[in-house]
Each structure stands twice: as structure tokens, then as C-alpha cells.
Amino acid sequence: MSARGKKQHSSRRTQRNRGVIGLVLAALSIIVLLLFVIRFAYIAGSGHVGQVDLTKKTQKKYRFDQVIKARRGTIYDANGNAVAEDSNVYTLYAVLDKNQVSTAGRPLYVKDKAKTATVLSKYLKISATEITKTLNQNQFQVEFGAAGRNLSLEIKQKITDEKLPGINFTETPSRLYPNGTFASHIVGLAQLKTTVDQTNQQSTQQLKGLMGVEQYFNKQLTGVNGRQVAKLNNYGYELPDSKRVVKKAEDGSDVYLTLDSRLQSYLEQLLQDVQDKYDPTELSAILMNAKTGAIIAASQRPTFNAATKSGLETQWRDSLVEDAYEPGSVFKVLLLAAAIDSGKYNPNATYRSGSVTINGSTIRDWNQVGWGTIPFSQVIPRSSNTGAVHIEQALGETLWKEYLNRFRVGQKTGITLPNEASGSIQIKTPLDRAITSFGQAVNVSAVQMMSFLSAIANQGEMLQPRIVSKVVSNQGKVTKYDKKVLGTPISADTAKQVIAAMRQVVEADYGTGQQYKIDGYDQQIAVKTGTAQIASSKGGYLTGSNDYIYSVAGIAPADDPEYILYVTAKQPDITKADAISILSEIFNPLMKRALNYRTTSADTDANSIKMSKLTGLASAAAVKKAKDQGLTVTQVGNGSKIVQQLPAAGEKVIAKQRVVLLTEGAMTMPNVVGWSKNDVLKLAEITGGDFKFSGDGYVTSQSLKAGAVITAGQQIVIKLAEP
């Protein structure tokens, strides 16, 4: 082939190769394009790139989703005073980074550390020196530990008003317990718990009840959070043609207790006095309406301050409901009721006291030697163990078991509080049955004892103890917790005879409860005393000279019972006073005050005024409203809202009578010089302070100066003199 032919052939081959390459590249381009089209179609159709949901990602980018928090319901006392309500607490922090300035150049950091420390020390429980040390740290921002947390709105506002650069707050939902130590285990406690909404993966902090009414009614109190949803652009403005969706929050229901703040606060003061003086390991008291089963006042020691949480580490259990123990001789009233009701009781028959032997075991009277041969009518007044055994033997196994069942011994009362103990009873052998007659080999709770005693005080009808009167939803629906009869274990006539025997405990010269007489209420107090051994965890009973649970159960007025009061003290220091004297320091003043309130409320005065409800109002508005009624007003505390009042709303008062109003926050001492003792007692009730009186008449001096903070455990001495 010539050179020219070779060159033409090479040229054609090159063109052909270029064509092939072009076709391959075109094919590859078409394939890649098709892959892109398919991929795009898939993404557009499915909305996913790998594991990423583009739809959700886009929605999240432009979606504004906010939880609208529901208000937790308020817990009120019987007079409509709030004892637990929603609030917010604040945590203080300081910005130290000097790069933090506003667009106008204003510093958003702590500029003058010395001044800031001096000002903050006025409001925080920390020195200016410590604050300065914290402000000198090399950090973006700092907090101030416990001193800077859980601040009230009042303190937060005062600090804000100081206009300190770089000082800011974070807000946290909280629960306000304005009365501090106030039936703390019964009202209970609610604390923050973090929950995650699975719909939008948002976490929310919500209060949850951990004990008492807060726990038992947690579902009703909690409510349902709402939500607000909108679409926003990159600048935070709502997108055109988008629709804002709002689902309103449903606030929680309000719970109304049967507790009367006047008597509850007084009981707290009495219990604390006895606790401080005699140091029992446990102490409790319950005051109940004998006709309805409504618990008017109840508390225990150890306890805690719900506002400060002080003492919470000592005792979490509500011992009135959750703890079962051997009640001792107070239980003899059930034995007597069973014997009378069954016709097996002859008060005039006699027996030999001192000791009795059952299956080789000797049971002795509490004084070891007895009182010789005495009638059965003296078994209850003398609290004779041997007499109780003889009565149980006369009843017989079948009848005694029947009446124990009628009284629902070993069964829960159904009170609306969590973790109620059912108690127990051991009656398999003759010895077991014998010792149950005086309250051993049987375990009961304090609320069960109230139920048993109600059958005696309420003409044979046994009532369920009640702590809640009603629950009111945010829509106004009312669920009532009315009087409930659990059974009729005995007749009305039997109940009357048992009360007559309990009267002899107080009135007979051989009665064990003569110290429970109350001035002004002669022949109106019926009681039964009790002394029970304490079961050992190793079996048997503790053997120390003071290893006992002392108790007293009382009913008054005896002719028409209105109140039942049950007080117990475990292992008090009886070297300072005998057990009956110790218990009388709680029983006598509380029962007397309850009876006095009953008498006062029964009186009518043409010149009386119906006390307005001032709780919940702004402080200034409440003071003005009371003064407009012609009343003398004293405000305790510098808070912005009234949380408690005395006299209570609805009570009858007279012109110029003193009204004591308590605000949230710190309780401050007013100037009480010139006050009557009765007015100071109102102050003691509403604050729960430890007031000690010297003399009679009107106040001449006070140990705590006006304006000072009333703190827990602080004793305030009030001197009085006749004008």
C-alpha cells in the first residue's frame, strides 16, 4: 500500500474510534442522567436521603412547636386557704465574658464586681466575699450554688430592680407550700420530673406527686399540656398562608382537704413543743369530726418543712397511714363494746385482779399486784389487763372473732392517701386471744384506730376517716368525698355505755386519765389511756424501762360527741414527766380549742361580720378589703400575695377585731406590743412559730424585734401585763 493509502486508512480508523468513544460517552451520560432522574424521583417521592427523612427535617427547620404547660391543681384547706400551689423558682447566674454586649454597646456582663457582690449579698444567703470569689472565675458565666437557686419571685424582682449588668435568671416550675410544716406527710410533696414527648422528641419538666395527697391525686392534679404549632421562616416570621395551630392546656383539678388551718397550725405547735421537751422517737396526733369522719388536724414527728425540705431526709413515710403497731390498752374499748353488745358483760360481777395464767403464761396488771377483788365496771377506768382477759374468755373465741371482723380489724379503711397499711391480728391460740383483749398480738394504724373509735362516738356507725372533701376540675365538675359508713359493729345503746365507762377513766378517783380533765368542760371528756410494749425485730418485745408506746384516745363532748382525738408517743423521756402528763400537753389544749371553736361558731351576734376570703389576693388589695370591713389588719411578710388568713373566710368576726394576713416568702415579726394574748395566738397559729408567754393581759415586750424573720425552731418570748 502506498504511503498515501496508509495515511487515509489511519485517518478513517481514528474517526471510527472517536465515534465509538463518543457513543460510549453519550451512553454513559444518558445512564448517569437516568440515574439522577431516578434518584431525584425517588427522593421526591419518598422524601428520604438514606436514613434522613427530608420531610421531617424541613418541617423541623421551619416548624415552631411549643408546649403550653398545664397548671397543676391547687390543694386547699377546709376554709379555702391554699396549702400547695403552683409557682416558679429562679436560679441566678452571672455572665463574665466581656465580649457579651448589646447592639447598642451596653455591657451584658458583670462590669463592677465589687458593687455586684455587695448588692447580691443583701438578697442571697452568702457573703459578699464569697460572691466576689465566684465572680473572679475565668468562665463564660457562673452560678452561686445553693444560695442562688430556688429563689422566690419576690427576691428575683428585688434583684432585677437593682439593674445589675450581667445578672440573669433561669425559671423553673415549682410547688409552693406557704405554711411550711403543715400536715406535711398528708399534703405531700410534688417535685420536677423530666418527660419526653415522643411526637416531637421535646423534653418537658413536669411536677409529679411523691407522697400524700400530691401522690394519691397526682393524675387529677397534673392536668394535660397543650401545644402551639406554626411555620416560621429563617428570620422567625410566620410563613404566608400557614396556619397556627393551638391546642389549649387543660389545667389540673383542685383538691379540697378537710383540714382546718387554725387547728392544724396549733397542733403543729403543740407537737413541736412536746418533741423538743421530751424527745420521743415518734409522736402523732389526729383530730377527727365524730359525725362525719372528716380529719380536722393531723400530724407526726419526725416531720419536714415542705417549703424548705428541711427534715425530709429523716422520715418519708406517713406514719399515721403506713405504719402498723400494737395499740395497747386503748384497744380495750373494742373489747368492752363487743361484750356489752353481745350481752356477755355484767358490770357488777367481780374478779380477782393482779394476775391470770393462760396455758402456763402469766398475764399481770400494769401495777403487777392488782387491786384485789373488784367489779368488772372498773376494768376500763383502771385499765386492768386481767379483767380484760376475763371479759374475752366470757365472750369466747367465736364471738370475739366476730366482733373483730365487725370492726374490720386487719382491713384498710380506704382513706384517700397512698400506701395504707392493713394491719394484722394473731388469734390462733387461747394466749393470743387473751392478749388481744388489751391490744397486743394485733397491729393497727392510727387511721384504723380513728375508724374503730368512730363507732363508739357515732352511735354505733363506724366511719371511714376522710382527708379530702372534694375535687373540682378546671371545668367546674365537682367530685365529692362525702361521709362513708363502713359498718355498724355495735348498737347506739352499746356505744353510749362504752362512753360512760370512758368517762370514768377521767372522773373516777381510781381512773388512769384524771389529768385529761379540761377546765370549762366538766363531765364532757371521755378517754381511754394506753401503754403498749414495742415489738423487737429479733422477736418478743423490747425490755427497756421506757420501751413503750403511750397513747390516749378521747371523745368529746361525751353527751353528744363532736370530736375524736388520738395521740401517741413512742419512747418519750419519762424522767422529765410521766407519760400521761406528756400526752396531756397535746390532748388538753387541742381538744379545748376545738370545743371552744365549736361554741364560738354556735353563737350568733347581731353585730358580727362575715369574714371575707382574702387569700389569693394581692397584699395591698387584701389589706384594704379587710380595713373596709372595719377590721384591724396585720400583715406578716412582705410578699405580693396573701396565702393564709386568720380568722378564716366565712367566720363571724366583730368590728375592730384583729385579722392576721400571711404573704408568701419569709415570715416577718410584727410589732405586737399592746396586743391581747388571743391576737398573739393567732400569729402563732398562722406562722407555726414557737411563742412562749409570761404573765397575763396585754403584750409589753417581745424577744424578736419587729421586722425580723421568724425562723423554724426559734423561741419567741412574749411578756404580758395587765393595763
Side-chain angles (χ1 to χ4, degrees):
M1 181 181 294
S2 65
R4 183 178 180 184
K6 288 179 179 181
K7 187 176 181 180
Q8 289 177 342
H9 178 73
S10 175
S11 176
R12 286 195 297 271
R13 187 167 54 191
T14 300
Q15 289 177 353
R16 186 170 61 251
N17 289 342
R18 288 176 178 174
V20 170
I21 292 170
L23 290 173
V24 170
L25 290 174
L28 287 173
S29 298
I30 293 171
I31 292 170
V32 170
L33 180 61
L34 285 173
L35 288 174
F36 272 114
V37 170
I38 293 170
R39 180 63 172 163
F40 182 79
Y42 170 78
I43 292 172
S46 67
H48 284 78
V49 175
Q51 300 299 317
V52 179
D53 188 326
L54 295 178
T55 303
K56 288 184 178 180
K57 195 172 183 68
T58 303
Q59 288 177 347
K60 185 175 181 180
K61 182 177 180 180
Y62 296 104
R63 179 187 176 98
F64 170 75
D65 193 339
Q66 181 184 42
V67 173
I68 303 174
K69 293 181 180 179
R71 178 189 68 85
R72 187 174 178 85
T74 300
I75 301 176
Y76 296 97
D77 77 344
N79 298 312
N81 299 310
V83 297
E85 59 184 325
D86 263 10
S87 180
N88 289 303
V89 292
Y90 301 87
T91 297
L92 183 148
Y93 68 93
V95 176
L96 305 179
D97 183 2
K98 293 183 178 181
N99 293 320
Q100 303 304 305
V101 293
S102 69
T103 53
R106 182 171 57 87
L108 300 178
Y109 59 91
V110 176
K111 189 174 182 181
D112 188 335
K113 294 180 180 179
K115 176 186 175 182
T116 300
T118 301
V119 173
L120 289 181
S121 67
K122 295 192 300 182
Y123 304 105
L124 305 182
K125 293 181 180 179
I126 186 173
S127 68
T129 302
E130 289 297 317
I131 294 174
T132 301
K133 188 183 298 183
T134 301
L135 293 176
N136 283 328
Q137 294 181 36
N138 185 25
Q139 295 185 36
F140 179 84
Q141 68 182 48
V142 292
E143 293 185 2
F144 299 88
R149 291 193 291 268
N150 296 319
L151 302 179
S152 68
L153 175 61
E154 178 189 4
I155 296 297
K156 183 250 184 188
Q157 191 58 53
K158 287 181 177 180
I159 294 175
T160 301
D161 291 343
E162 298 282 357
K163 301 186 185 307
L164 299 170
I167 297 300
N168 301 290
F169 300 86
T170 57
E171 182 180 275
T172 306
S174 181
R175 196 70 163 157
L176 176 65
Y177 298 93
N179 298 322
T181 303
F182 181 94
S184 299
H185 289 85
I186 290 174
V187 174
L189 197 66
Q191 293 185 337
L192 282 179
K193 179 184 177 183
T194 302
T195 58
V196 178
D197 188 326
Q198 297 302 320
T199 303
N200 56 18
Q201 295 300 305
Q202 286 187 341
S203 63
T204 305
Q205 288 188 310
Q206 196 163 35
L207 290 163
K208 181 180 180 181
L210 301 179
M211 67 168 73
V213 170
E214 292 272 32
Q215 179 184 348
Y216 192 93
F217 289 91
N218 185 65
K219 183 177 180 180
Q220 293 92 326
L221 287 163
T222 298
V224 180
N225 288 338
R227 177 174 291 152
Q228 182 176 203
V229 180
K231 292 182 179 179
L232 308 180
N233 62 21
N234 290 335
Y235 300 99
Y237 295 105
E238 193 167 336
L239 294 173
D241 300 324
S242 68
K243 184 178 181 182
R244 183 179 291 264
V245 179
V246 178
K247 180 184 177 183
K248 292 183 178 180
E250 296 179 18
D251 290 339
S253 300
D254 296 329
V255 177
Y256 289 78
L257 306 181
T258 58
L259 297 176
D260 184 321
S261 289
R262 301 169 301 170
L263 291 169
Q264 180 65 43
S265 296
Y266 190 46
L267 173 59
E268 298 288 0
Q269 179 185 338
L270 294 171
L271 288 176
Q272 195 57 50
D273 286 347
V274 168
Q275 181 71 34
D276 293 342
K277 281 196 284 186
Y278 306 110
D279 196 29
T281 56
E282 294 180 17
L283 184 66
S284 71
I286 304 179
L287 178 67
M288 188 173 86
N289 185 304
K291 299 182 186 299
T292 67
I295 294 175
I296 301 165
S299 194
Q300 66 183 67
R301 295 294 183 276
T303 188
F304 66 95
N305 184 311
T308 65
K309 310 302 183 291
S310 174
L312 187 59
E313 67 283 352
T314 305
Q315 173 69 288
W316 268 85
R317 294 188 325 281
D318 180 353
S319 63
L320 302 176
V321 174
E322 298 182 49
D323 289 353
Y325 55 92
E326 295 188 358
S329 293
V330 171
F331 203 72
K332 288 172 182 170
V333 296
L334 273 69
L335 173 76
L336 180 62
I340 293 172
D341 200 68
S342 64
K344 300 291 184 180
Y345 177 68
N346 181 355
N348 298 317
T350 61
Y351 71 98
R352 180 71 183 176
S353 65
S355 64
V356 60
T357 300
I358 306 291
N359 288 359
S361 296
T362 300
I363 295 171
R364 300 184 185 279
D365 281 314
W366 58 268
N367 67 353
Q368 302 300 311
V369 296
W371 306 271
T373 299
I374 57 175
F376 280 99
S377 61
Q378 294 185 17
V379 169
I380 294 298
R382 291 189 186 273
S383 198
S384 170
N385 292 341
T386 58
V389 172
H390 288 304
I391 293 174
E392 184 275 322
Q393 290 175 331
L395 266 173
E397 177 182 354
T398 302
L399 272 178
W400 183 219
K401 284 183 178 180
E402 178 185 331
Y403 276 92
L404 289 171
N405 287 331
R406 287 190 186 187
F407 276 101
R408 294 168 56 92
V409 177
Q411 297 182 50
K412 297 179 182 181
T413 67
I415 189 171
T416 52
L417 286 169
N419 308 319
E420 182 183 6
S422 59
S424 62
I425 188 164
Q426 179 72 24
I427 49 175
K428 291 181 179 180
T429 69
L431 180 60
D432 288 337
R433 293 192 294 275
I435 63 177
T436 58
S437 68
F438 51 87
Q440 290 185 203
V442 56
N443 285 283
V444 302
S445 67
V447 291
Q448 284 176 320
M449 280 302 305
M450 298 305 290
S451 186
F452 305 153
L453 293 165
S454 71
I456 296 164
N458 193 48
Q459 301 182 19
E461 283 190 342
M462 187 168 66
L463 304 176
Q464 179 187 66
R466 295 185 299 122
I467 195 64
V468 171
S469 62
K470 63 181 178 180
V471 175
V472 181
S473 75
N474 66 323
Q475 297 177 337
K477 180 183 177 182
V478 179
T479 302
K480 292 187 176 181
Y481 292 80
D482 293 326
K483 167 183 173 180
K484 183 176 181 180
V485 178
L486 297 178
T488 309
I490 57 176
S491 68
D493 183 63
T494 295
K496 185 177 180 181
Q497 291 184 59
V498 175
I499 290 176
M502 294 172 70
R503 284 280 310 110
Q504 291 304 301
V505 176
V506 181
E507 295 298 327
D509 57 8
Y510 49 79
T512 58
Q514 296 177 57
Q515 286 176 263
Y516 296 111
K517 291 180 180 178
I518 297 177
D519 292 340
Y521 292 95
D522 297 339
Q523 308 296 315
Q524 290 298 304
I525 310 300
V527 309
K528 180 67 192 82
T529 58
T531 302
Q533 290 179 285
I534 301 172
S536 170
S537 59
K538 299 178 181 179
Y541 294 92
L542 300 180
T543 57
S545 61
N546 194 38
D547 287 328
Y548 295 94
I549 297 175
Y550 303 101
S551 61
V552 59
I555 294 171
D559 58 357
D560 183 20
E562 183 88 14
Y563 299 110
I564 303 168
L565 176 56
Y566 181 51
V567 185
T568 69
K570 183 178 180 181
Q571 298 168 305
D573 185 354
I574 56 174
T575 63
K576 297 179 179 179
D578 62 82
I580 291 177
S581 296
I582 292 172
L583 294 179
S584 70
E585 292 186 27
I586 299 169
F587 183 95
N588 291 29
L590 183 63
M591 182 66 89
K592 183 174 183 178
R593 180 162 292 191
L595 291 169
N596 284 344
Y597 281 156
R598 175 178 178 266
T599 303
T600 302
S601 63
D603 294 338
T604 55
D605 190 332
N607 297 317
S608 65
I609 303 165
K610 185 177 180 181
M611 188 70 216
S612 297
K613 184 178 184 297
L614 304 176
T615 54
L617 297 180
S619 300
V623 170
K624 182 179 184 302
K625 189 171 184 179
K627 286 184 175 179
D628 289 345
Q629 284 190 288
L631 301 170
T632 303
V633 186
T634 296
Q635 179 178 315
V636 179
N638 298 315
S640 59
K641 186 173 71 171
I642 302 302
V643 296
Q644 196 174 342
Q645 68 179 79
L646 277 179
E651 283 191 48
K652 291 183 187 270
V653 294
I654 58 175
K656 297 184 180 180
Q657 182 172 332
R658 186 175 301 279
V659 176
V660 182
L661 303 178
L662 180 68
T663 70
E664 82 272 36
M667 295 183 291
T668 51
M669 183 71 184
N671 182 358
V672 299
V673 173
W675 286 27
S676 68
K677 184 176 182 180
N678 187 56
D679 284 344
V680 180
L681 285 172
K682 290 179 189 174
L683 180 64
E685 281 188 50
I686 206 166
T687 61
D690 182 10
F691 284 75
K692 297 297 178 185
F693 296 92
S694 172
D696 293 297
Y698 292 85
V699 179
T700 59
S701 68
Q702 59 192 75
S703 63
L704 185 66
K705 66 179 182 180
V709 175
I710 301 172
T711 58
Q714 179 184 24
Q715 188 176 93
I716 303 168
V717 179
I718 303 295
K719 292 185 178 180
L720 306 102
E722 295 292 347

